[in-house]
């Protein structure tokens, strides 16, 4: 069997990225893509690579996942995450988890150590304890920015919808040298959401889907809209009908917009290693590494290309 050239694609969320945060978002997705690619280059699996890339963004306060997550109506962080292995369609997810740094690691453990696919809230908490995942105080995950936004959204004349545009779910898709695909997605959800709200991220087929027979995708955007059209699975369906990753992504995003008025963004890789990063929002931070070349951007039509060596060098100098 000809060995596949590994590919990783990551996103840092679709929506509106405020000017002062652009650089941090670009640097964050680039770092995540380089880390995930490092795993693939060393012969690691697609599942390992997407977990590593997402963990890197959960630890980065620029994104609405892990540290930097937005707060629910009560001022707490509740996070959702999913991971999926395209080889056998195994998946693990968690929803409404609190007080852990990396929900994606917990999702991976749900996939590998239980017979289940999705654990929520208290049960997910007990499972994390059983697995020896360190608990951290909830405040550790709260940034100044999330706190400010939460307070603003509480004001009587505020419009949380306005702020929702600056989201930042994170995700990754990859294909490894064996031709296996995987996806991972993680988020803090919607700002000032109801307690116990679960969005698309933890839902298989909505927040992500991976199947070696077609490819893998991770989504971001308005969760309820994504769930209505089962966006991730819809994209793979279009690829199964013969569409390219780019056309499949655009067709599905367009359907979501016309049918339910929802905006979002997606990253896709197909089983041949072709990839796409597409969005119907104003912006989406994304990065990909393929053939030792790094591509990245935030605005529609924007695409920077660097060699991986050059990118790693500037990474060491602090971007």
């Amino acid at each position: 069997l000809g060995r596949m050239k590994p590919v990783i694609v990551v996103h840092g969320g679709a929506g509106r990225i405020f000017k002062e945060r652009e650089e941090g978002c670009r640097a964050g997705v680039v770092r995540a893509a380089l880390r995930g690619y490092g795993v693939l280059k060393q012969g690691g699996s697609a599942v390992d690579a997407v977990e590593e890339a997402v963990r890197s963004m959960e630890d980065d306060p620029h994104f609405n996942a892990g540290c930097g997550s937005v707060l629910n109506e009560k001022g707490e962080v509740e996070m959702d995450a999913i991971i999926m292995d395209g080889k056998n369609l195994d998946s693990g997810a968690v929803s409404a988890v609190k007080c852990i740094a990396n929900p994606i690691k917990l999702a991976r453990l749900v996939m590998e150590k239980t017979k289940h696919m999705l654990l929520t809230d208290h049960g997910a908490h007990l499972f994390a304890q059983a697995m020896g995942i360190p608990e951290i105080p909830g405040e550790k995950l709260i940034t100044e920015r999330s706190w400010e936004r939460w307070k603003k959204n509480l004001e009587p004349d505020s419009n949380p919808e306005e702020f929702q545009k600056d989201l930042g779910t994170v995700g990754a898709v990859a294909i490894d040298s064996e031709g296996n695909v995987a996806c991972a997605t993680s988020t803090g959800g919607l700002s000032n959401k109801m307690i116990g709200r679960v969005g698309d991220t933890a839902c298989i087929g909505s927040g992500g889907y991976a199947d070696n027979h077609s490819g893998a995708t991770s989504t971001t955007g308005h969760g309820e809209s994504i769930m209505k059209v089962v966006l991730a699975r819809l994209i793979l369906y279009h690829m199964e009908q013969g569409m390219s990753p780019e056309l499949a992504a655009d067709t599905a995003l367009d359907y979501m917009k016309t049918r339910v008025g929802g905006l979002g963004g997606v990253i896709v890789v197909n089983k041949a290693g072709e990839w796409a990063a597409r969005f119907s929002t104003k912006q989406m931070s994304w990065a990909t590494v393929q053939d030792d070349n790094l591509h990245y951007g935030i605005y529609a039509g924007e695409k920077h290309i660097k060699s991986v060596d050059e990118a790693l060098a500037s990474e060491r100098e602090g971007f």
Side-chain angles (χ1 to χ4, degrees), residues 123-141:
H125 173 73
L126 293 176
F127 176 64
Q129 280 180 329
M131 290 288 115
I133 293 213
E135 217 175 298
I136 58 168
E139 308 78 78
K140 274 256 196 305
L141 297 171

Side-chain angles (χ1 to χ4, degrees), residues 40 46 61 74 93 96 110 119 121 123 149 180 183 202 220 231-232 250 261 266 269-270 282 284 293 307 312 316:
L40 294 171
K74 216 172 96 186
V110 171
L119 291 181
D121 199 357
R149 169 187 304 191
N180 293 312
C183 71
T220 166
L231 185 63
D250 286 349
V266 299
V269 65
N270 71 7
K282 277 208 175 75
M284 178 178 80
N293 277 315
S307 77
L312 284 168
R316 281 188 290 271

Side-chain angles (χ1 to χ4, degrees), residues 77-80 94-100 103 106 119 121 124-125:
V77 166
E78 285 186 324
M79 301 167 291
D80 300 341
V94 292
S95 74
V97 295
K98 302 182 181 79
C99 303
I100 62 166
L106 191 56
L119 291 181
D121 199 357
H125 173 73

Side-chain angles (χ1 to χ4, degrees), residues 3-151:
R3 284 169 75 69
M4 276 299 302
K5 282 187 177 158
V7 180
I8 184 148
V9 194
V10 305
H11 70 73
R16 190 169 112 219
I17 296 163
F18 294 111
K19 269 279 180 261
E20 71 275 9
R21 293 185 44 254
E22 261 182 35
E23 274 321 294
C25 288
R26 266 199 198 96
V29 288
V30 164
R31 185 180 307 118
L34 291 170
R35 286 203 183 154
Y37 192 65
V39 170
L40 294 171
K41 281 295 267 195
Q42 286 153 18
S45 68
V47 171
D48 288 339
V50 294
E51 181 190 7
E52 179 57 32
V54 165
R55 200 183 56 76
S56 160
M57 291 183 286
E58 285 177 339
D59 291 343
D60 185 329
H62 279 94
F63 302 109
N64 173 17
C67 176
S69 287
V70 298
L71 311 186
N72 67 13
E73 59 183 358
K74 216 172 96 186
E76 293 176 332
V77 166
E78 285 186 324
M79 301 167 291
D80 300 341
I82 193 168
I83 194 164
M84 187 167 183
D85 184 345
K87 201 180 349 194
N88 46 17
L89 306 187
D90 275 353
S91 178
V94 292
S95 74
V97 295
K98 302 182 181 79
C99 303
I100 62 166
N102 297 111
I104 200 65
K105 279 171 106 153
L106 191 56
R108 172 98 187 243
L109 289 168
V110 171
M111 174 167 82
E112 292 179 350
K113 307 284 186 204
T114 77
K115 294 191 182 74
H116 306 311
M117 290 175 76
L118 171 57
L119 291 181
T120 191
D121 199 357
H122 184 57
H125 173 73
L126 293 176
F127 176 64
Q129 280 180 329
M131 290 288 115
I133 293 213
E135 217 175 298
I136 58 168
E139 308 78 78
K140 274 256 196 305
L141 297 171
I142 298 176
T143 57
E144 190 59 33
R145 196 169 70 93
S146 299
W147 186 245
E148 288 300 322
R149 169 187 304 191
W150 177 73
K151 284 195 304 209

Side-chain angles (χ1 to χ4, degrees), residues 235-292:
I235 291 166
L236 292 192
Y237 165 78
H238 286 315
M239 294 203 300
E240 287 156 6
Q241 305 301 304
M243 286 188 191
S244 68
E246 187 162 306
L247 185 57
D250 286 349
T251 304
L253 283 168
D254 191 50
Y255 174 73
M256 182 166 82
K257 191 174 173 179
T258 53
R259 186 72 181 85
V260 296
L263 301 180
V266 299
I267 49 173
V268 192
V269 65
N270 71 7
K271 63 182 180 182
E274 300 166 323
W275 61 274
R278 310 292 293 168
F279 47 100
S280 52
T281 52
K282 277 208 175 75
Q283 290 145 297
M284 178 178 80
S285 54
W286 63 273
T288 184
V289 184
Q290 182 184 38
D291 281 341
D292 287 323

